[in-house]
Amino acid sequence: MAQVKGTSDGPGVAGVVGDAGTTDNDGVQGFSASNNRAGVIGVNKQAGVGVKGVSEKQDGVQGFSKNFDHFGVIGDNQAGVGVRGQSSNHDGVQGVTHAAGRAGVVGVCDDPVGGNGVLGRSNNASGVAGVSSSGIGILGRGGQLAGRFEGNVEVTGDIVLLNAGDCAEHFLVTDEEVNPGSVVVLANDEATVTQSRQAYDKRVVGVVSGAGEHKPGVILGNRHSEGNRKPVALLGRVFCKVDARCSAIEAGDLLTTSSTAGHAMKAEDGTQAFGAIIGKALRSLPDGQGLIPIMITLQ
């Protein structure tokens, strides 16, 4: 049975009033020693709020918890929003942490079908703004995509692609032997390629990206589809399979297709090389076969 009960006899009159006056103390305190029970609970069976806190110079409501696995304040709504923060002159909600490696605000959606962990909306400004004085403004990690933009993207600074050396485009590959570093030529149409098999082939398209220490920086036409699709470097630095058994390759030499499947060689015949140049060697290979970095310069 309740130990204290307050009844209101008119509008605007509280059922219970706690007044600490000018003393340094709380107006109302509620205690409970029972598990899963509240020290203070407010119930409203009409259209008003259950609990309301008002302060002229401090926080309206404060919640504290000393348990690591529980919350200082929790809002639970079975039909609508769990917690709402609203302000006429400041931020609606602020989250602050003093612990290294922790977040000021965490948004979690554990529905198996899917949902947003955090959603930001704005009619006239940024939906989500990420600002950092010395770290990363926005960090995105994803099992499928780290980020997706539906609309135009404007960048006022540099775009840095780590360990990326080329601009590539996805092509459908006809043979399974094609792998990173392979030289490829057009097959039966403009979207299909196969590894090169003849010297000075004017159908040369580029080199399959991803070999050695370089990976594709920008991939054009990157879409999911059936078939064996691979990124083919069309511009920039890429590691390429080369054959130097007939002629040594030196840094700066122009390269063309060779009769060795998927390999480039030094272009020695200028007449045949026109239109069949793959790129320029960036490292020497005195003899044998190997993988060297080249600069793609199709011509």
Side-chain angles (χ1 to χ4, degrees), residues 16-81:
V16 175
V17 174
D19 189 350
T22 59
T23 63
D24 186 14
N25 211 334
D26 302 316
V28 174
Q29 287 186 344
F31 298 94
S32 175
S34 301
N35 290 331
N36 300 320
R37 307 302 297 178
V40 174
I41 186 169
V43 179
N44 190 316
K45 295 184 178 180
Q46 298 298 323
V49 297
V51 174
K52 182 177 182 180
V54 179
S55 175
E56 294 183 359
K57 296 183 179 181
Q58 253 286 358
D59 304 319
V61 175
Q62 285 187 343
F64 297 95
S65 175
K66 296 182 179 181
N67 191 299
F68 183 82
D69 296 322
H70 288 79
F71 305 96
V73 174
I74 185 170
D76 191 345
N77 190 323
Q78 300 300 312
V81 179

